[in-house]
Amino acid sequence: MIRLFKVKEKQRELAENTNGKSSFTKQSAGEIRLHKDMRELNLPKSCSISFPNGKDDLMNFQVTIRPDEGYYRGGLFRFSFKVSPIYPHEAPKVKCNSKVYHPNIDLEGNVCLNILREDWKPVLNINTIVYGLYHLFTEPNHEDPLNSEAAAVLRDNPRMFELNVKKAMAGGHVGDNYYSRCM
Amino acid sequence: MTDSTAQVSKSRDLDKLLLRPGHLVGPTFDPGTELRDDIQEYVKILVVGAGGLGCELLKDLALSGFKNLEVIDMDRIEVSNLNRQFLFRLQDVGKPKAEVAAMRVMERVAGVNIVPHFCRIEDKELDFYNDFNIIVLGLDSIEARSYINAVACGFLEYDSDDNPREETVKPMVDGGTEGFKGHARVIVPGRTPCFECTIWLFPPQVKFPLCTLAETPRTAAHCIEYAHLIKWDEVHSGKTFDPDEPEHMHWVYSEAVKRAELFGIPGVTYSLTQGVVKNIIPAIASTNAIISAACALETLKIVSGCSKTLSNYLTYNGVEGLHTKVTEFVKDNDCLICGPGVLIELETSVTLRKFIGLLEEHPKLLLSRASITHRGKNLYMQAPPVLEEMTRSNLDLPLFELMDKIPKDIVHVTGTTSKSDKKTSSLMKLRVIFKGVDGVADMDTAGGS
Ligand SMILES: [Zn+2]
């Protein structure tokens, strides 16, 4: 390609090269693919999505879940999503922004959901994750604990667990931890 | 006399490649001293990364007769780099890698000029990248590769027959190593697969379940990830962990040590901590040297045509014995980054609503209910409802205005296509050209000449 390079260099010496405007505008492949996910989004009616940075930032968004069955019925839980520029090669980072008494969510908002980490596959999408999160509220499990106290109560005394969840959601202490109202 | 023999001997090996005709040369190869001199004078190469691979690449390219090199890297030298990043000395610790690497190679190889850039790749304007004839990558992250790939492919233009315009092709040579394994590949956008066409080649990062980290750690890596992903947030509420901040890394390391002691797990070290957190497998100097040599040779081949280039992906495995293999991967013609996209010519008066209608009728597309995005701006989103509402007001505006009156540009569209009654959602790239706008005709003639 040396001849081409030589021509180019000479052109540049003569005048400012007008060619070579890139169509790339710092929009990553991940962002482009995310469009497809957004268009395909088909959320259960108990879930909603919002874009705090406006319509042009899809890489950072929030999902609100209001479970309509199970222990957490009537509660309101917010999650923030941060999507990587190499999405879907890498799963989005998801955190729970509401402090919740839950065996699979710790007090910092870390969520133990297999498809967010070890079982993520590029064929999955945002919809799958939202359903996965929703599922955590309808069927919390004590086998993958992030909050081991809550997990132990769920395993040994489901009745007590139910009461604790109600107490936390109404705003109050469970053990040493205070939970703000989220109903 | 002694001087002239020294001159000859210095480029002797190169001369064998560049001055003599051969049977295995590329179609445009024109051997002779002019070629050798032109390479020195006209070719400008960017090396991305001044780490283990980057040091080797700079040295190899300089010794291959390239005189105009630049190098970009945002890291500073650490003690743990010194075993393989051979351009650095103990007294360099803390200094920018790009600057020291450039200086050391210039000291050792007469006549080469290397301009260092101590910054993030994202900090540079696109014009910066367009200035180089070839971009050589010595990186260890998928994100950075994906970024440079998108930049280089962004310069690519296609003619009306969907053939790449040669003068817009920005070739890349990509090297990568992980322990005893490595790869070298040639990416000629529009001709060979780009990074995004074959991103599946990169194995997904191993991620441990959070509950394992929190409850049942079994390995040193578990302890490190616990400190990094769980403990950090617990202690530094709201502050983001920065893997490039040595203080942050030291904090994670010391927490990982405590965790490991608690569970009686051996093996947490500072370098393992860096490795796990940044997802880096320990680098081996010889692997870097082998991969870099392959990359430098491919660069010389692209430039001179002295041999056909690698077609197009070489893997090297030195784990047990030695195994190398070249695989010819195929380009994804529908690739959103390097593919031509579907050409659409429009009047400047066409509204966004009309455009969306046209996509439905277009025989190559048959795309219904499309969402449209241009240069990171979402012009219209069919879903979710919250985005539809925010973009609805654009529907009756002319697309030309929504696209900032750029006479020809790329847009991405997502919509539903039906093939034999099966509806699938698809994402496509379009090349939109507005008729009768100044600039379009000019660009076409420039391309044809
Ligand atoms: Zn591609």
Side-chain angles (χ1 to χ4, degrees), chain B residues 24-64:
Chain B
L24 303 169
V25 299
T28 59
F29 184 56
D30 186 8
T33 48
E34 192 189 344
L35 173 62
R36 190 183 62 192
D37 299 344
D38 282 352
I39 288 175
Q40 299 186 355
E41 188 172 350
Y42 294 111
V43 182
K44 216 169 146 187
I45 296 176
L46 176 68
V47 174
V48 187
L53 201 49
C55 280
E56 289 281 351
L57 286 168
L58 279 176
K59 176 258 291 170
D60 287 350
L61 290 167
L63 290 173
S64 302

Side-chain angles (χ1 to χ4, degrees), chain A residues 36-108:
Chain A
K36 187 162 171 251
D37 284 36
M38 287 304 169
R39 195 185 169 280
E40 287 172 353
L41 210 56
N42 184 10
L43 299 176
K45 61 181 189 307
S46 47
C47 301
S48 67
I49 187 167
S50 65
F51 299 86
N53 305 333
K55 70 174 179 67
D56 293 331
D57 182 2
L58 303 186
M59 305 292 265
N60 298 283
F61 57 90
Q62 293 192 339
V63 168
T64 306
I65 298 179
R66 189 187 280 280
D68 47 16
E69 55 179 303
Y71 293 114
Y72 295 89
R73 191 157 66 106
L76 190 91
F77 306 97
R78 262 195 199 91
F79 291 84
S80 64
F81 283 59
K82 197 172 160 39
V83 182
S84 146
I86 55 165
Y87 177 78
H89 192 74
E90 198 174 280
K93 291 194 168 65
V94 177
K95 282 235 164 182
C96 182
N97 297 352
S98 318
K99 195 166 171 183
V100 52
Y101 177 79
H102 193 293
N104 314 112
I105 303 176
D106 74 13
L107 301 177
E108 314 310 317

Side-chain angles (χ1 to χ4, degrees), chain A residues 145-169:
Chain A
L146 269 185
N147 179 338
S148 49
E149 286 166 40
V153 178
L154 174 63
R155 185 189 59 218
D156 302 332
N157 191 347
R159 181 85 195 104
M160 168 82 111
F161 180 78
E162 191 179 346
L163 290 173
N164 285 350
V165 170
K166 289 234 155 64
K167 222 195 281 177
M169 291 202 309

Side-chain angles (χ1 to χ4, degrees), chain B residues 174-206:
Chain B
D174 174 46
T177 71
E178 268 192 356
F180 286 104
K181 296 178 188 171
H183 77 259
R185 70 189 292 189
V186 173
I187 300 177
V188 183
R191 281 194 220 128
T192 68
C194 84
F195 179 73
E196 223 63 52
C197 289
T198 55
I199 192 166
W200 47 269
L201 280 170
F202 285 82
Q205 201 181 326
V206 178

